[in-house]
Amino acid sequence: MAEDFAGTVAEISVQLQAAFDPVPGTDVLEGVQALDEALLAVARDIAPRLAPHLEETIVQHRRGAGAHPGRYTSQLHAERLATLILDEVLRTRPQRQHNLRDLINDIARNPARALSLTEAARKLHWSPGHLSKLFKSVTGDTFVSYVMSRRLERAELMLASTQMPVGEIATTLDFSQVNYFSRVFRSRTGMSPSEYRRQHSSFDRRPLHEAIPTGHFSRLRA
């Protein structure tokens, strides 16, 4: 079975959110670094050729982030590490035709992209109708709704943990109009993007909740 990259990204989000939760007497930097080490341990186990490059990537990121890593930049950094690991694993596997799991992983790799059903079906050499039915049966959600949910989840993270203007966030997330972005965001959260930011802003470098065991990233393993 193909590696569950989408599940790994979800685990990364959970662990980073725990790291940035306000628990007295702990340090957010420890949580972020623990996640680095967990992903590096996975690489050493299943993609040892990649491990030195990952180590250097981690060092460079830590230099840039300093003692106060941001929630959003930490997410992007961890996703990049996971992507490098998965790409290295797949590089060593025989070529095969892409399947639904690969499509779900591709959506997780590019959560900001407004991938259409027609384009996704073309990649899999399926009809849009067949993909739509199979996608709903596997995920419990329509393709369009699933892709939109991933984009809006990323919007929530960006609004809460960056100072990027709402218009720039909309553009980054492949929305052609800010008004449309605001409308669909409100339908999901019950708040406008600006209201959501005021209620959920987390620029205060929240501390670590718990250690992150390496085993949490078994979805990347063969």
Side-chain angles (χ1 to χ4, degrees), residues 88-193:
E88 176 64 15
V89 170
L90 294 179
R91 187 188 66 82
T92 65
R93 300 289 173 84
Q95 291 280 340
R96 59 174 175 76
Q97 187 171 349
H98 280 205
N99 57 27
L100 188 61
R101 171 55 61 191
D102 295 311
L103 173 60
I104 292 172
N105 284 343
D106 285 345
I107 295 169
R109 285 172 179 256
N110 303 282
R113 186 180 176 203
L115 181 67
S116 71
L117 176 65
T118 300
E119 184 179 358
R122 188 183 305 121
K123 285 185 175 183
L124 295 176
H125 304 289
W126 295 349
S127 71
H130 175 66
L131 173 57
S132 181
K133 291 179 182 177
L134 183 60
F135 196 94
K136 179 69 179 289
S137 69
V138 171
T139 68
D141 208 350
T142 67
F143 178 84
V144 172
S145 178
Y146 184 92
V147 171
M148 180 64 78
S149 291
R150 302 294 81 74
R151 294 163 70 201
L152 294 178
E153 285 172 1
R154 186 51 52 104
E156 291 175 6
L157 176 60
M158 295 171 77
L159 288 164
S161 58
T162 79
Q163 299 184 59
M164 188 181 297
V166 171
E168 188 175 344
I169 290 175
T171 299
T172 300
L173 297 176
D174 222 1
F175 288 93
S176 58
Q177 297 182 348
V178 178
N179 288 343
Y180 176 61
F181 166 63
S182 297
R183 187 162 65 251
V184 296
F185 188 87
R186 183 184 287 276
S187 71
R188 172 184 171 88
T189 66
M191 292 177 276
S192 71

Side-chain angles (χ1 to χ4, degrees), residues 5-20 28 31-33 35-36 39 57 61 65 68-84 107-112 150-151 153-162 173 202 205 212 217:
F5 183 81
T8 296
V9 169
E11 287 182 358
I12 286 171
S13 296
V14 168
Q15 296 300 334
L16 282 175
Q17 196 57 45
F20 281 81
V28 63
V32 174
Q33 292 183 350
L35 180 56
D36 284 345
L39 289 167
T57 300
H61 176 74
H68 302 288
R71 173 68 180 85
Y72 179 57
T73 55
S74 296
Q75 182 79 30
L76 296 183
H77 167 66
E79 288 177 5
R80 182 188 178 199
L81 297 182
T83 298
L84 289 170
I107 295 169
R109 285 172 179 256
N110 303 282
R150 302 294 81 74
R151 294 163 70 201
E153 285 172 1
R154 186 51 52 104
E156 291 175 6
L157 176 60
M158 295 171 77
L159 288 164
S161 58
T162 79
L173 297 176
S202 58
R205 314 302 184 190
I212 302 170
F217 298 97

